[in-house]
Amino acid sequence: MTLPRWFLIRRSLLMSPFGLALVPPAQAADPDVAIIGAGVAGLAAARALMAAGKSVQVIEARARTGGRAFTDSTTFGFAFDHGAQWIEAGKINPAMAIVREAAAKAILDQSEQAICVAGKELSKEDYERFEKIAHEATRKIAEALKNQPDVAVGRLLVAQDPLERLAYAMVGPLEQGVENGELSARDFTRQPEAEPQYAIAEGMGAMIARWGTKVPVKFDARVVRVDSTGAQVTIETTAGQMRARAAIVTLPTGVLATGKIGFAPQLSAAKREAIAQLPMASFNKVAILFARRVIDAPAGRNVTALTRKELAFDAIVRPANREAALVFVGGALARALEEEGGRAAVTFAVSALAEIYGNDLRGAVAKSHATQWGRDPYATGSWSVARPGHADKRAVLAQPHHDRVFFAGEATDPVWATRVGGAYASGLRAAKEALAVLGGKR
Ligand SMILES: Cc1cc2nc3c(=O)[nH]c(=O)nc-3n(C[C@H](O)[C@H](O)[C@H](O)COP(=O)(O)OP(=O)(O)OC[C@H]3O[C@@H](n4cnc5c(N)ncnc54)[C@H](O)[C@@H]3O)c2cc1C
């Protein structure tokens, strides 16, 4: 492991052979704010604080920025976003500010949507019925919330046939990364409408990494303890210790729930309960590059399908005009494939596509990659979901801890939680809270 520069500076000061009280160089001074995590929330908070004239230091466990937004730009010949990919509800989504600030190119998603069951595209009549089922599902959820504070979506949507099974899978597993029985109707309805939707030309992760380049980040430093009992906040990491006047914690709820990060004083019971009631969803992607043209479909076509075994998945076939496919799985299926490990997810994706496009594609797989966000120790899943009855826990998680430790990250946003927009908005909110306690320029 390479040690970060800040750690080496501290060590060289301690080990000075001259025994002189060395004045640390300006960049080694304790920052106003230490920010834990260099994902969208951490980068947004850092940029806002820097713009307000404060010094910041972001501390990141990985060797890169972006967190759950990461683009592989080389393996497949097109930008493969392992995590965040789209900006939904583009007219009102706070994430559009990143596009503007990074001067990135947003591409309006106008791709055609095909719906298939057991390998066959729906008939015209079935498309009409499918649309009715989807509308009725939305109506049922809204209606149920008029009479009760919350309910599990699975209690409202009980599928009677494959068409309903697929339509309902588009509510929980394929949209929220959880089964409908684990999905809070209240948390679900927090999400604004999805249109218009944009993708980013260079890839979402690539844009975010570029947008964050001016932010000072200490890489390969996993935070293990945040102590705010002294005059300053002390952050202990696997690569040394640092102090700051305030701290912003942007970690995924699943990472906080592992208990591998200690807080002094201890987090309140309410905050610990909020972390427990906002567990991580399961959503993964499989990218497949084919050696030749095996999919007879227009470039960039969206497919939502139920396999013969009644497993739901989404796909984009021939993305960026490549002989490739992206397959998305969520909820119990995503979790099961991740637990099985090895090539299970790729095997599923290939078989699922073969049901629709023919067995010829089985022998044409040139490259593949399946994400495993649940096994990633710095993510532990795809995004936070509120358990039924606990949609209000996002506001609890967002509360400051002990006055000088602020909480951000997608899970804390009241409207855009689970999304890049929520991470961004939460970073700005936490920066504002930190500024309020720090006062004017130092
Ligand atoms: C497969 C998938 C698809 C998605 N699709 C979309 C989409 O299309 N549109 C959308 O808007 N959103 C999408 N999302 C969600 C989106 O990626 C997240 O909501 C957002 O990126 C979260 O940002 P964040 O800053 O809150 O958290 P993160 O990005 O998780 O940032 C937290 C950072 O903390 C670091 N860290 C963890 N532990 C430690 C530690 N102990 N010490 C120091 N650092 C640590 C992590 O490495 C990470 O960099 C998707 C996510 C996934 C996984």
Side-chain angles (χ1 to χ4, degrees):
M1 188 178 77
T2 51
L3 289 172
R5 215 171 75 84
W6 65 285
F7 179 77
L8 297 176
I9 290 167
R10 280 178 182 278
R11 259 193 96 204
S12 68
L13 288 173
L14 287 172
M15 292 162 66
S16 165
F18 310 111
L20 298 173
L22 298 178
V23 180
Q27 64 265 40
D30 294 337
D32 291 317
V33 187
I35 299 169
I36 303 169
V40 172
L43 296 174
R47 285 175 53 105
L49 287 163
M50 287 161 75
K54 300 296 173 194
S55 59
V56 301
Q57 182 63 63
V58 179
I59 309 166
E60 170 57 51
R62 302 177 201 265
R64 62 165 179 83
T65 57
R68 283 171 275 166
F70 169 69
T71 308
D72 172 357
S73 311
T74 52
T75 308
F76 296 99
F78 60 89
F80 170 36
D81 273 310
H82 284 209
Q85 183 166 352
W86 290 286
I87 298 177
E88 297 130 347
K91 287 197 181 114
I92 49 171
N93 193 323
M96 287 305 274
I98 304 177
V99 178
R100 287 190 294 276
E101 288 162 17
K105 189 175 170 205
I107 302 166
L108 182 65
D109 182 6
Q110 291 175 306
S111 43
E112 283 181 45
Q113 169 94 23
I115 296 171
C116 303
V117 170
K120 295 231 157 25
E121 188 169 357
L122 299 189
S123 63
K124 190 170 168 286
E125 294 73 40
D126 276 347
Y127 265 115
E128 281 166 12
R129 191 173 154 240
F130 190 83
E131 214 165 284
K132 275 193 196 135
I133 296 169
H135 275 120
E136 183 60 11
T138 314
R139 192 199 60 77
K140 269 187 195 160
I141 295 170
E143 197 61 31
L145 289 176
K146 285 184 186 159
N147 313 318
Q148 56 198 320
D150 201 2
V151 59
V153 168
R155 294 189 58 185
L156 307 171
L157 308 181
V158 182
Q160 304 295 340
D161 63 23
L163 222 48
E164 285 188 349
R165 224 172 307 291
L166 182 55
Y168 297 166
M170 289 170 77
V171 178
L174 294 178
E175 178 63 29
Q176 300 295 313
V178 288
E179 297 304 307
N180 288 330
E182 306 161 66
L183 180 62
S184 150
R186 182 67 63 193
D187 200 45
F188 175 72
T189 50
R190 163 188 55 73
Q191 314 254 340
E193 290 293 309
E195 299 295 326
Q197 178 168 290
Y198 294 92
I200 305 299
E202 70 203 278
M204 177 83 87
M207 170 185 76
I208 285 161
R210 199 163 53 69
W211 171 72
T213 43
K214 294 216 171 100
V215 172
V217 183
K218 300 179 196 316
F219 291 107
D220 299 311
R222 181 167 62 81
V223 171
V224 292
R225 191 173 160 83
V226 179
D227 184 340
S228 51
T229 54
Q232 290 206 302
V233 184
T234 303
I235 319 279
E236 273 175 42
T237 84
T238 48
Q241 203 182 64
M242 70 172 295
R243 287 190 187 79
R245 295 169 68 201
I248 297 177
V249 178
T250 74
L251 303 177
T253 51
V255 172
L256 290 168
T258 62
K260 288 183 182 162
I261 299 153
F263 287 85
Q266 202 188 33
L267 293 180
S268 68
K271 210 173 209 35
R272 281 182 280 138
E273 169 72 357
I275 291 165
Q277 299 300 350
L278 295 168
M280 300 300 284
S282 218
F283 194 84
N284 276 313
K285 303 184 182 183
V286 183
I288 303 167
L289 187 69
F290 297 105
R292 57 179 191 278
R293 178 139 189 196
V294 284
I295 292 182
D296 182 18
R301 165 164 280 202
N302 278 314
V303 181
T304 297
L306 196 69
T307 66
R308 292 192 183 107
K309 287 187 178 160
E310 302 214 323
L311 299 169
F313 72 96
D314 270 330
I316 300 176
V317 295
R318 308 192 59 242
N321 224 355
R322 301 281 163 161
E323 299 317 321
L326 298 171
V327 170
F328 306 140
V329 287
L333 174 61
R335 196 166 295 142
L337 291 172
E338 209 173 324
E339 273 165 18
E340 203 178 327
R343 292 190 56 79
V346 174
T347 304
F348 167 79
V350 169
S351 299
L353 291 170
E355 280 190 8
I356 303 170
Y357 297 107
N359 282 324
D360 192 30
L361 60 76
R362 290 179 187 274
V365 175
K367 277 183 194 168
S368 61
H369 179 85
T371 65
Q372 296 198 312
W373 286 101
R375 287 184 180 214
D376 178 333
Y378 305 130
T380 71
S382 51
W383 49 73
S384 64
V385 277
R387 289 192 206 280
H390 296 283
D392 60 332
K393 297 297 185 292
R394 298 196 181 281
V396 178
L397 184 66
Q399 289 299 310
H401 163 66
H402 204 214
D403 298 340
R404 281 164 298 140
V405 179
F406 304 97
F407 275 70
E410 55 81 12
T412 65
D413 195 70
V415 179
W416 299 92
T418 78
R419 303 328 244 172
V420 165
Y424 175 83
S426 76
L428 297 193
R429 189 251 315 136
K432 238 187 218 171
E433 290 169 352
L435 281 173
V437 299
L438 292 172
K441 287 193 180 196
R442 192 166 72 159

